[in-house]
Amino acid sequence: MSNLDLIKTPYSFFLTFISIFFFFLISNNNAFEWPTSAEIPILERVLNPEFLLNDFYTNSATNSPKIFFSYFVNFFTYLGLDYNQVLYAIKFIVNVFTPVLIFIIFIRTQNIFYNFKDTNNEILKNNFLLLSAFIMALPFFGIVQGYGNTKPFGWEAIQSIFPIIPMKLSFFIGLIYILMKLSDKNYKTAPFVLLLSFIIHPSVGSSFLLITTIIFIFSKISYAKKLYIFYDFLIGIVLPTILILICFDNSVTVTSKEFFNLFIELRHPHHYLVSKMFTSFSIIWFLISCLPLIFSLLLRNKKLILFSACLQALLYLSVIIQYVFSEIYPIILVMQFGPIRFTTFSTLLISLNLILILSYVIENKLVKGIRKFDDSLERLYER
């Protein structure tokens, strides 16, 4: 199935309908939820350089990569809209179409993972597989990763973050990037889409390159297509990193310990203070995250075992690195980047992993069923 075929499926239309209903149910008909409000002073400063000249937060934020989000929003004000309308429009587009993009990515990934061709249409069109992908792509499915105090590692599922903030916008653009990479075509603009995702939120943009690389390593695609990931890295990650280092003052006037106390311990312990995060919900989520690897081991499929183990290792490493380099050997750069943010992709990665396992089971069942039917026909003709 091509991307266009997947868009045309009843599942995609129904996902869009549910997403629109869900959006108007909880959106309050405006873009201003408290995380978005933090971006308003920066938006105002971009429009008016004289705005709050003596405000510490506004001055600091405009001298950081956070300003790229405001540039992106204000770009659309040239269409005659004010930034309030632009924010609401972006919020609508991102929240309504994210589930459809996720659904298509689930199906396209298993397509290249197993190199399914037209002869495998009965697998690609299997309703149970499509229904499973549909359920895992629902806008509220991410609630399984917890909310509020029930979040296992400080972050809820990124697809279920409803306010429009740099992290969510970067995620949506990253979904477009990964969909372009999973396409049969080689889109030359893909690295620039990744670049846009990265400059809006470096942690999220980097995560998408990492996820795409892992998928490509285990997929049956050409070596040339895999090599393009290197160009994506240079244009989408290295180039904007150099730009950020040149454009912004990256000097730090506090020690690593002081930064830890101010940024993590006092300001964001709910997101980054790993030693205070382990609860019964963390244990439950740990057991859930083990399921794909357990199923892969039961199926005795080496490729699935390695893929599942790799995704699980990445999730655990993001927590370990956060803990080691913030609470034991604090390093400011690591604390700023926040590797534990990668756990916000947990539900997506576990769901993708389960789709690949389900696809393998369906394929083997179909193949064995066809062979059994052919054998029965041969015996019938022999009689």
Side-chain angles (χ1 to χ4, degrees):
M1 279 186 174
S2 66
N3 291 347
L4 186 59
D5 291 333
L6 287 167
I7 292 173
K8 291 179 180 178
T9 62
Y11 294 100
S12 293
F13 285 115
F14 198 32
L15 263 177
T16 305
F17 174 78
I18 292 174
S19 298
I20 292 173
F21 176 78
F22 187 67
F23 176 83
F24 286 112
L25 183 66
I26 67 173
S27 70
N28 298 321
N29 292 321
N30 66 77
F32 298 106
E33 298 172 73
W34 72 264
T36 310
S37 299
E39 309 301 322
I40 302 304
I42 315 170
L43 286 163
E44 289 284 1
R45 175 65 69 83
V46 171
L47 286 171
N48 177 15
E50 302 297 318
F51 179 77
L52 294 180
L53 287 177
N54 296 318
D55 181 65
F56 173 78
Y57 170 76
T58 305
N59 291 336
S60 299
T62 51
N63 189 35
S64 75
K66 283 176 70 68
I67 200 170
F68 288 119
F69 174 80
S70 297
Y71 283 143
F72 181 89
V73 172
N74 277 311
F75 173 79
F76 294 98
T77 60
Y78 292 104
L79 299 176
L81 305 171
D82 60 47
Y83 71 74
N84 307 305
Q85 295 169 317
V86 175
L87 281 172
Y88 187 75
I90 293 173
K91 181 180 179 180
F92 177 83
I93 292 169
V94 168
N95 283 289
V96 167
F97 293 105
T98 287
V100 177
L101 293 180
I102 291 172
F103 171 76
I104 297 173
I105 287 169
F106 282 164
I107 303 301
R108 289 296 297 171
T109 301
Q110 60 96 40
N111 192 8
I112 72 164
F113 194 83
Y114 296 111
N115 197 27
F116 286 159
K117 301 296 183 182
D118 291 339
T119 53
N120 298 92
N121 276 340
E122 56 275 354
I123 298 170
L124 295 175
K125 295 179 181 178
N126 183 278
N127 279 322
F128 184 69
L129 179 67
L130 293 173
L131 179 60
S132 300
F134 168 83
I135 292 172
M136 294 179 187
L138 285 168
F140 42 79
F141 184 78
I143 198 68
V144 300
Q145 192 170 324
Y147 186 79
N149 294 328
T150 65
K151 292 177 291 189
F153 296 110
W155 292 94
E156 61 190 278
I158 191 168
Q159 70 271 29
S160 295
I161 295 176
F162 198 74
I164 188 64
I165 53 177
M167 188 174 178
K168 187 61 182 279
L169 179 60
S170 176
F171 171 71
F172 182 75
I173 296 170
L175 289 177
I176 297 172
Y177 162 74
I178 199 170
L179 191 57
M180 294 172 76
K181 298 303 293 184
L182 294 174
S183 174
D184 295 328
K185 300 178 181 179
N186 283 322
Y187 288 99
K188 294 182 180 179
T189 53
F192 298 98
V193 176
L194 177 64
L195 183 150
L196 182 59
S197 175
F198 181 87
I199 63 171
I200 291 175
H201 200 289
S203 295
V204 175
S206 302
S207 297
F208 271 107
L209 180 68
L210 181 59
I211 292 168
T212 306
T213 302
I214 296 300
I215 292 173
F216 273 26
I217 287 173
F218 290 95
S219 296
K220 294 181 178 180
I221 56 176
S222 66
Y223 178 76
K225 192 173 179 69
K226 292 182 178 182
L227 190 62
Y228 273 110
I229 287 289
F230 180 69
Y231 296 110
D232 294 354
F233 171 68
L234 290 179
I235 297 174
I237 305 296
V238 175
L239 183 62
T241 299
I242 295 173
L243 177 67
I244 290 171
L245 292 174
I246 292 174
C247 293
F248 302 105
D249 181 11
N250 296 282
S251 60
V252 180
T253 57
V254 295
T255 65
S256 297
K257 185 62 178 176
E258 289 172 333
F259 187 89
F260 168 79
N261 291 335
L262 293 170
F263 183 73
I264 294 181
E265 201 166 34
L266 295 177
R267 183 67 181 88
H268 298 290
H270 53 292
H271 284 318
Y272 302 112
L273 194 58
V274 178
S275 60
K276 300 294 184 181
M277 289 180 187
F278 283 101
T279 64
S280 57
F281 297 105
S282 302
I283 297 172
I284 292 171
W285 193 248
F286 171 80
L287 296 174
I288 292 174
S289 67
C290 291
L291 289 177
L293 182 57
I294 293 171
F295 292 150
S296 300
L297 289 168
L298 290 174
L299 291 171
R300 298 180 181 179
N301 182 286
K302 184 178 179 180
K303 184 177 181 179
L304 280 174
I305 292 171
L306 291 174
F307 181 78
S308 302
C310 191
L311 289 186
Q312 197 168 353
L314 286 175
L315 292 173
Y316 297 159
L317 276 174
S318 67
V319 179
I320 293 170
I321 292 172
Q322 179 72 43
Y323 175 69
V324 171
F325 294 108
S326 62
E327 299 187 45
I328 300 178
Y329 304 107
I331 297 177
I332 291 178
L333 184 61
V334 176
M335 290 187 281
Q336 286 177 323
F337 192 77
I340 200 171
R341 286 178 186 268
F342 188 74
T343 59
T344 194
F345 287 88
S346 296
T347 303
L348 273 180
L349 296 179
I350 293 170
S351 299
L352 175 62
N353 208 164
L354 291 173
I355 290 294
L356 294 177
I357 291 169
L358 180 61
S359 180
Y360 174 77
V361 172
I362 292 172
E363 180 191 17
N364 280 333
K365 184 177 180 181
L366 283 171
V367 170
K368 289 178 181 178
I370 292 170
R371 287 176 181 172
K372 186 176 181 180
F373 180 72
D374 289 342
D375 291 341
S376 298
L377 284 178
E378 288 180 9
R379 286 195 294 269
L380 185 62
Y381 285 132
E382 288 175 357
R383 293 177 182 175

